[in-house]
Amino acid sequence: MRERILFSFPVQLFLLHLRKNLALLLVWLILAGVILEQFGVVLGIPFLFLDPEYLHEVSWLSFALMGVGLAVLTMAFHMTTYILDGRQFKFLAVVPKPFIHFCVNNSVIPLLFYLVYTIKFIVFQLDNDLPSDWEVLEFYFGFTLGSIVSFGLIFGYFSFTNKDFFILFAGNLDKRLRNVRLTRATVLSQYKEIKNKKDQVITYLDLGLRLRDVRPDLARFDAQKLLRVFDQNHLNLFLIQSFLILFVLFLGFFKEKEILQFPAAMSATLLLSILVMLVGALSFWLRSWATLVVVLMLFLVNYFSNFSFLNRPHEAFGINYTIDPTPYTLAKLDSLVHPDTLTKDRKNTLQILANWKSKFPNDSLPKLVLVAASGGGQRAALWTLHVLQTIHKATAGALTKHTELYTGASGGVLGEAFFREIYLRSLTDPKIDPTDPEFLDQLSADNLNPIIFTLLVNDLFIRNQRFEYRGYSHLKDRGFAFENQLNSNTRSILDKPLIAYKKPEFDAQIPLLPVTTLVTNDGRKLVISPHSMSYLGTSRMGKTGPDEKKQSIDFLRFFAAHDPGNLRFLSALRMSATFPFITPNVELPSVPAMETMDTGLSDNFGIQDALRFLYVFQDWIAKNTGGVVLVSIRDSEKSTEIPQTEPPRIFEKIFNPLKNIYINWGNVQTIQNEVLYNYMNESMPFEMERIEFEYAPEKVQVQELSGSQETMQRASLNWRLTAKEKKSIISSIESFENKKALDRIKEIFPLN
């Protein structure tokens, strides 16, 4: 009995994969690590699998689609391993439905993954504050239904098309297969390699999961006829693989249909399925030449990738790319900070400040408020909006009225921009309440599914679909998908050109909001605003001379010939929140091409821009205000306890330096900002006060929920939030520190 189990087909296949197919096993291992929250937790990748969202809700249907995605990946694994290794097990040719038998015996690894995934998502959902635990049963039913239907359709196809030895040679199918010369030649050449190998399989599982003995009389069958069975099976597998790839390409034409925007995790499994099947196809057709051909293909793709038909830049929508690009040179940058230009821009901003001052009594010295919001994806956007709504309500709008500048990065700027637009509309429409919780739901709605889906069906292949925005044509990409979904979630209120904000900002109806993005060419900031702010790129009076390195670039002046005021404001927000590989780096029309990405790499907290603004206009502020209040909205704690460390292992010694740089980048910026703020606070001719709000669910857990069974889960850095993550963001306003900050704001701006 021991030998029957040891030399059974499932065990031998498992050992074969360990010896030969480690790359395929690595796919399952990485997915299991993600599911078990060992990889990608900071980015929220596990929650895409454990809490999939479809049509803006987690439901049985979203889990059914996850079942479909994992079933397709499982079948890709079966098909690839069958193509690669099925020929070694000649007994399959004489059993009914050979491929299905192979799948049954090849299911040890997928079954282990399904078991881990099922247990993990059930445990996760039971702890996910659902209205009823019965919903978890509904999710499980959906996942099971999606899996069963998918496996049923695929196995149904193979049960009707894949024949065993005895059926195959009883009809005319053999004549049809003789025409598939390349496939037959490949199989026969492979047979020569293995014909002398000893077959180690003595038992296999049949379709009833019973242990059967392998036929002992295989030698009497014609070897070439045996291999024709595999020939016919491989043909059907090739057709299935081709159909899946063509189907994915076909979906690209309808990627904007919300009903086709699958859960992000499902899109990821479909992409993995295609990659797994391509590995199998290349290995099968090319055999020992596979590695060389793949390397040559990579070199060819890399060589041709800068040709225009393959290298199509990701654009900022609304500006003119059809005319000659602007020279991106030091001389051009110097021309943007000419003393006359600096004077002109300062005078314009001084008039805006005067308009702000006119909102208050002539003999008063109002507090000037600046708000700096940190980046951090959708969690920062939601946290920023929630804080702005809370302080707006607590002061009956007084703080918002006193605010003249918003700064920040990434999600923080998105939250500021959304609140600013809501507030602007409320000035003319009393039905709009800027503190309505509905706006929190809009901003926190899923924005990731269309991005990942577009990456799968469009951006990995040749992009060719276009759209028009205010007179200019642009290619659709996942940047367009991000803007389109954000626009849909926020009811299109941010879908306007940059220039549309020029008048309300000039009249001081709303605060200035210079959207900044990092220029990867040289590390400078690109300042996108309807009012030129060249003074943010040099010293206060521009007297340091030509040797000073210009710190920022004024978007309006630099791209004056490219209709910069027509820039879609959503594109500006996307440029500030560009996350590598998720939203693509934008290329602007200059020579060399100016590439931008998330400004959080430079100043994730917006403090530097706010302090530079105060420095430039310090004389006016000292004369016309009662001091400055800087409201800092952070999506992390400023001061945390020093973590305990253990002696690192070998792998940790290799990766810890990069890990420490990533973890401490925010701390480095915080320390730099502390130095700048303290220097400014001591040297400015007016009083300054900083009030900080921190997203710190850990503090809420300790201070507000001590003794409770509830846990506060820190939200991930992502463009999609789970229900529990949203709750932790909203509840974080209740920490002692945030309550204290809110009380201080109430003291400065008391209700009349």
Side-chain angles (χ1 to χ4, degrees):
M1 187 62 184
R2 177 175 172 272
E3 284 192 355
R4 284 171 59 82
I5 295 176
L6 180 61
F7 292 102
S8 65
F9 197 22
V11 173
Q12 291 303 306
L13 277 174
F14 179 76
L15 295 176
L16 177 65
H17 295 330
L18 290 178
R19 293 196 311 269
K20 181 182 176 185
N21 299 322
L22 284 177
L24 296 177
L25 294 186
L26 188 62
V27 172
W28 293 107
L29 185 63
I30 292 175
L31 279 180
V34 169
I35 298 304
L36 294 172
E37 300 184 45
Q38 299 300 308
F39 307 126
V41 177
V42 174
L43 300 178
I45 298 175
F47 310 135
L48 303 179
F49 290 84
L50 302 175
D51 197 46
E53 190 169 318
Y54 177 63
L55 298 178
H56 300 292
E57 65 176 348
V58 179
S59 63
W60 72 269
L61 186 56
S62 65
F63 273 98
L65 290 173
M66 276 304 306
V68 173
L70 288 177
V72 172
L73 177 61
T74 302
M75 292 309 301
F77 172 73
H78 287 323
M79 287 187 282
T80 297
T81 52
Y82 183 79
I83 288 174
L84 293 176
D85 305 315
R87 64 188 183 277
Q88 298 188 29
F89 306 100
K90 296 186 293 294
F91 76 92
L92 285 173
V94 297
V95 300
K97 301 178 178 59
F99 176 68
I100 299 178
H101 272 88
F102 178 86
C103 293
V104 170
N105 288 269
N106 193 44
S107 294
V108 174
I109 295 169
L111 278 176
L112 289 175
F113 176 81
Y114 269 74
L115 181 63
V116 170
Y117 176 72
T118 303
I119 294 174
K120 184 64 179 177
F121 95 68
I122 289 176
V123 171
F124 181 88
Q125 291 297 335
L126 287 173
D127 192 41
N128 203 27
D129 300 326
L130 295 175
S132 169
D133 289 346
W134 289 105
E135 288 194 29
V136 180
L137 184 62
E138 183 180 323
F139 296 162
Y140 179 74
F141 167 77
F143 175 73
T144 304
L145 179 65
S147 301
I148 291 175
V149 170
S150 302
F151 284 126
L153 290 175
I154 298 175
F155 283 135
Y157 169 80
F158 284 117
S159 67
F160 285 106
T161 56
N162 281 11
K163 311 299 181 182
D164 59 59
F165 182 88
F166 303 102
I167 296 177
L168 183 59
F169 294 101
N172 296 324
L173 188 57
D174 178 50
K175 296 179 181 179
R176 177 172 66 86
L177 291 173
R178 288 176 183 172
N179 295 325
V180 191
R181 300 183 182 279
L182 181 58
T183 304
R184 289 173 50 75
T186 305
V187 175
L188 292 175
S189 67
Q190 293 165 358
Y191 171 70
K192 294 178 182 179
E193 300 176 10
I194 61 154
K195 63 182 180 180
N196 295 323
K197 289 185 179 179
K198 183 180 179 181
D199 192 351
Q200 294 295 317
V201 175
I202 61 178
T203 59
Y204 67 94
L205 290 175
D206 65 11
L207 300 186
L209 301 182
R210 295 181 295 269
L211 202 61
R212 299 284 191 182
D213 291 329
V214 172
R215 290 182 64 122
D217 57 346
L218 289 175
R220 71 184 181 87
F221 295 101
D222 185 341
Q224 292 192 9
K225 289 187 176 181
L226 284 175
L227 287 176
R228 288 181 191 174
V229 177
F230 295 104
D231 180 2
Q232 180 255 358
N233 288 177
H234 292 161
L235 176 62
N236 283 323
L237 295 181
F238 176 76
L239 293 176
I240 283 284
Q241 293 173 347
S242 300
F243 171 78
L244 178 60
I245 295 174
L246 291 174
F247 177 67
V248 168
L249 289 173
F250 173 74
L251 289 178
F253 292 101
F254 306 98
K255 58 180 176 293
E256 292 165 40
K257 300 292 185 183
E258 195 171 38
I259 196 172
L260 291 179
Q261 292 173 357
F262 302 142
M266 180 187 178
S267 296
T269 57
L270 291 178
L271 175 60
L272 285 174
S273 301
I274 291 174
L275 294 177
V276 166
M277 288 188 291
L278 286 177
V279 167
L282 288 173
S283 299
F284 175 73
W285 292 108
L286 301 176
R287 296 294 294 158
S288 58
W289 293 93
T291 302
L292 177 62
V293 171
V294 169
V295 172
L296 289 176
M297 287 176 61
L298 290 175
F299 274 106
L300 288 174
V301 169
N302 180 65
Y303 175 77
F304 287 108
S305 63
N306 64 347
F307 284 52
S308 58
F309 69 95
L310 286 178
N311 186 21
R312 298 186 175 185
H314 299 278
E315 298 177 346
F317 307 139
I319 59 176
N320 190 352
Y321 282 82
T322 61
I323 63 174
D324 292 339
T326 299
Y328 186 18
T329 62
L330 292 178
K332 175 66 175 179
L333 296 181
D334 288 339
S335 70
L336 299 180
V337 290
H338 186 276
D340 292 341
T341 301
L342 295 173
T343 300
K344 180 179 179 180
D345 290 350
R346 280 199 299 269
K347 283 183 177 179
N348 181 68
T349 305
L350 285 171
Q351 183 58 56
I352 294 174
L353 288 171
N355 293 339
W356 170 84
K357 176 70 161 50
S358 67
K359 296 190 296 184
F360 306 97
N362 292 333
D363 57 348
S364 66
L365 293 176
K367 290 283 188 179
L368 176 67
V369 178
L370 284 67
V371 177
S374 71
Q378 198 169 32
R379 78 180 178 208
L382 180 59
W383 173 237
T384 299
L385 176 61
H386 184 48
V387 171
L388 291 175
Q389 284 187 323
T390 301
I391 59 182
H392 182 84
K393 185 175 183 178
T395 62
L399 184 134
T400 308
K401 182 180 178 181
H402 282 72
T403 304
E404 183 45 30
L405 180 69
Y406 283 153
T407 63
S410 187
V413 169
L414 179 55
E416 290 174 328
F418 189 48
F419 179 80
R420 187 179 74 150
E421 178 62 33
I422 296 167
Y423 175 71
L424 175 62
R425 297 191 176 211
S426 72
L427 297 178
T428 55
D429 186 353
K431 294 180 181 179
I432 297 178
D433 178 8
T435 65
D436 192 334
E438 177 189 358
F439 297 122
L440 297 174
D441 295 333
Q442 292 179 15
L443 194 61
S444 62
D446 173 59
N447 206 40
L448 187 64
N449 282 354
I451 300 175
I452 303 301
F453 184 71
T454 303
L455 174 66
L456 170 68
V457 303
N458 186 81
D459 286 15
L460 290 179
F461 305 98
I462 297 177
R463 294 178 287 121
N464 54 16
Q465 290 181 277
R466 306 187 74 89
F467 79 106
E468 185 174 304
Y469 181 77
R470 293 178 61 87
Y472 299 108
S473 177
H474 303 277
L475 282 169
K476 293 181 179 179
D477 56 12
R478 59 191 186 278
F480 170 80
F482 173 85
E483 293 183 24
N484 201 39
Q485 188 61 52
L486 177 61
N487 192 38
S488 174
N489 292 346
T490 56
R491 308 297 188 267
S492 302
I493 69 172
L494 292 172
D495 193 8
K496 53 176 61 177
L498 179 67
I499 200 66
Y501 286 109
K502 184 171 185 177
K503 187 177 188 308
E505 284 189 6
F506 185 81
D507 294 339
Q509 291 180 291
I510 55 175
L512 295 167
L513 177 56
V515 179
T516 59
T517 182
L518 183 68
V519 179
T520 60
N521 306 61
D522 53 19
R524 292 179 171 89
K525 282 183 182 179
L526 182 67
V527 181
I528 305 173
S529 169
H531 298 277
S532 289
M533 296 183 174
S534 58
Y535 48 77
L536 293 180
T538 186
S539 62
R540 183 186 178 201
M541 302 305 294
K543 295 181 178 179
T544 56
D547 294 334
E548 179 188 12
K549 181 165 183 171
K550 310 307 180 288
Q551 292 92 32
S552 64
I553 304 169
D554 184 74
F555 174 77
L556 281 187
R557 294 192 184 281
F558 189 93
F559 293 103
H562 297 270
D563 200 3
N566 199 53
L567 173 72
R568 192 185 194 190
F569 188 62
L570 287 167
S571 289
L573 295 175
R574 169 167 62 97
M575 291 162 66
S576 178
T578 298
F579 195 86
F581 307 112
I582 303 300
T583 45
N585 289 23
V586 169
E587 290 187 20
L588 295 170
S590 65
V591 179
M594 185 184 293
E595 295 190 28
T596 67
M597 70 176 301
D598 197 313
T599 192
L601 289 175
S602 175
D603 178 19
N604 194 48
F605 302 97
I607 299 294
Q608 294 178 21
D609 291 332
L611 295 180
R612 180 176 288 275
F613 184 88
L614 294 178
Y615 177 73
V616 171
F617 298 103
Q618 58 180 281
D619 296 336
W620 187 94
I621 294 171
K623 181 179 179 181
N624 294 277
T625 74
V628 170
V629 176
L630 176 60
V631 178
S632 176
I633 305 175
R634 299 175 54 97
D635 88 321
S636 60
E637 292 183 59
K638 185 169 72 173
S639 299
T640 57
E641 191 57 60
I642 309 301
Q644 296 292 330
T645 59
E646 297 180 359
R649 298 181 176 89
I650 293 178
F651 285 166
E652 290 175 339
K653 288 181 179 180
I654 296 174
F655 294 107
N656 268 355
L658 292 176
K659 176 183 175 183
N660 290 335
I661 291 174
Y662 171 77
I663 292 175
N664 288 309
W665 191 247
N667 292 328
V668 171
Q669 290 190 11
T670 296
I671 292 172
Q672 292 175 340
N673 290 339
E674 287 292 289
V675 173
L676 289 174
Y677 176 79
N678 291 334
Y679 176 79
M680 289 282 292
N681 192 23
E682 294 174 1
S683 61
M684 288 296 98
F686 50 80
E687 291 185 358
M688 290 179 60
E689 180 174 358
R690 179 176 53 183
I691 301 175
E692 295 179 313
F693 290 87
E694 299 178 351
Y695 167 53
E698 300 85 356
K699 290 185 177 180
V700 178
Q701 179 69 45
V702 173
Q703 298 167 1
E704 298 293 326
L705 301 175
S706 55
S708 171
Q709 297 299 315
E710 184 179 3
T711 58
M712 297 301 294
Q713 178 182 3
R714 180 168 181 79
S716 55
L717 181 62
N718 208 325
W719 286 111
R720 189 258 166 169
L721 299 170
T722 66
K724 198 165 187 179
E725 288 175 324
K726 294 176 187 178
K727 183 176 180 180
S728 79
I729 293 171
I730 301 300
S731 301
S732 197
I733 199 70
E734 300 298 329
S735 71
F736 290 159
E737 288 79 3
N738 290 334
K739 286 181 177 178
K740 184 178 178 181
L742 188 59
D743 289 340
R744 178 55 187 152
I745 284 180
K746 291 178 182 178
E747 291 176 9
I748 301 173
F749 304 100
L751 295 175
N752 294 329

